Amino acid sequence: MRWKRVLSVIGGFFAALAHQYALILSCVIVAIVFDVITGLIKSKVKEKPWSSRRGVIGFWKKIALLVALFFGMFLDFFIPVALTAVNAELPFSPFGLIIGVYITLNESISICENLYAINPMTLPKWIMTLMRKTSEKIDDGDGKSDDK
């Protein structure tokens, strides 16, 4: 009974915090779950032994992604409040959305790479090329790829 109350409070807190982020939060979580599942399948198909050390490292990397997303959401709430102290205003605060889209894109690339490693005939090669180029453009920051 006590755990139900604790979980309800925690769940309610996150639901209130994420009310405008429900879609991006869902996309990030689904992408992380699919990445883990396809990664496990890939390791079985490629006959790589599962390692608890690699599993723990992977787990903490996924937790770090969620922490980054929650930090972006925190910035979206904090920055407008902080700006009101100096009578400044932003039309919107995009940090949580940007971080969420970035995480979803990177996890999607990883999913495609895993699927391609499992069976190269699963995805058309142009999808892999498109996703890699998109990732490079995002990482580059100015929209220009280093490819000549």
Side-chain angles (χ1 to χ4, degrees):
M1 183 79 140
R2 184 173 182 213
W3 283 105
K4 286 182 183 178
R5 281 189 234 149
V6 170
L7 291 175
S8 296
V9 168
I10 292 170
F13 171 76
F14 282 115
L17 180 67
H19 72 280
Q20 67 190 40
Y21 298 99
L23 180 60
I24 195 66
L25 186 59
S26 298
C27 289
V28 167
I29 290 171
V30 167
I32 287 173
V33 168
F34 281 156
D35 184 42
V36 169
I37 290 170
T38 58
L40 291 172
I41 293 169
K42 179 178 93 172
S43 69
K44 276 299 186 190
V45 168
K46 296 294 182 179
E47 297 181 3
K48 292 183 180 178
W50 287 352
S51 163
S52 61
R53 183 178 180 333
R54 280 193 312 170
V56 168
I57 291 170
F59 170 78
W60 287 112
K61 285 181 178 181
K62 300 303 181 188
I63 294 297
L65 293 175
L66 292 174
V67 168
L69 177 62
F70 287 127
F71 180 67
M73 291 166 51
F74 164 76
L75 288 176
D76 287 349
F77 287 102
F78 174 74
I79 289 174
V81 170
L83 288 176
T84 58
V86 294
N87 292 327
E89 190 175 307
L90 283 178
F92 67 97
S93 192
F95 299 104
L97 179 64
I98 291 169
I99 292 170
V101 168
Y102 183 75
I103 291 169
T104 303
L105 177 65
N106 278 327
E107 292 298 296
S108 297
I109 291 168
S110 179
I111 292 165
C112 288
E113 289 170 347
N114 290 340
L115 290 171
Y116 192 78
I118 293 166
N119 180 0
M121 302 304 287
T122 304
L123 296 173
K125 192 165 184 146
W126 64 267
I127 290 178
M128 292 296 298
T129 303
L130 176 68
M131 295 198 84
R132 283 195 185 113
K133 287 192 180 289
T134 303
S135 178
E136 289 169 7
K137 285 182 181 181
I138 289 172
D139 287 340
D140 196 25
D142 62 3
K144 298 176 186 171
S145 179
D146 290 334
D147 298 339
K148 301 282 182 216

